[in-house]
Amino acid sequence: MSGKTKNSQSFAGYIILTSVLLIGSLTTLLIVGLAFRSLGGLEDERFQENATIARAMSNACVEEALRAIIEAASYAGGVTLTLGSYSCDILPVIRSGNNYTIPTQSSVGGVTKKNLILSQRGTGIMRVDSWQDVPDF
């Protein structure tokens, strides 16, 4: 009888050992998965932040171009505007009479945002007919 008890205790020990190893492996897998997910979240956050800054910079260039056109109808663009460590480009402005097409762009951390604005110049004012984020010009 004592031999049978010894075998069942040994078998129970293997079950416990296997359970501990399985639970340890699953816990390790869960921790590693959460760590990688957290790193991916940081990349997404950085991408969103760069996209927001690039959009704001491109919009700042639009506003600068509109201001410059009010001051001088012959404004041609082709200018880089720098604010702090960021910059944006006012690409060459296309003019047809009082109608202007203003392309701007900014790149921050590999994220590029582009705007295309259609506007009309009046006496001392600019009327914006269209202000669009575009994938390309």
Side-chain angles (χ1 to χ4, degrees):
M1 192 97 186
S2 81
K4 194 173 189 184
T5 306
K6 193 172 190 179
N7 283 340
S8 47
Q9 286 176 347
S10 176
F11 184 69
Y14 286 122
I15 292 175
I16 291 172
L17 180 60
T18 303
S19 298
V20 167
L21 290 174
L22 185 60
I23 291 170
S25 297
L26 290 174
T27 302
T28 302
L29 184 63
L30 180 66
I31 290 170
V32 169
L34 288 174
F36 279 122
R37 186 171 181 198
S38 143
L39 290 176
L42 290 175
E43 287 299 316
D44 289 344
E45 219 173 278
R46 187 172 298 126
F47 177 85
Q48 289 300 324
E49 181 179 338
N50 289 343
T52 299
I53 294 168
R55 181 175 290 112
M57 289 302 300
S58 188
N59 288 343
C61 269
V62 170
E63 292 177 19
E64 174 60 21
L66 292 170
R67 185 201 58 73
I69 292 169
I70 290 171
E71 289 182 6
S74 62
Y75 181 76
V79 176
T80 297
L81 176 66
T82 302
L83 297 172
S85 61
Y86 304 110
S87 66
C88 61
D89 299 311
I90 304 170
L91 302 174
V93 173
I94 299 167
R95 179 181 177 202
S96 176
N98 286 333
N99 298 313
Y100 293 82
T101 301
I102 307 166
T104 66
Q105 68 181 13
S106 178
S107 293
V108 176
V111 179
T112 300
K113 294 296 179 181
K114 298 178 180 185
N115 286 327
L116 188 62
I117 286 59
L118 304 176
S119 63
Q120 292 183 8
R121 183 178 189 269
T123 306
I125 63 165
M126 289 295 294
R127 185 180 88 194
V128 175
D129 297 321
S130 172
W131 185 315
Q132 298 177 349
D133 289 342
V134 293
D136 213 350
F137 300 114

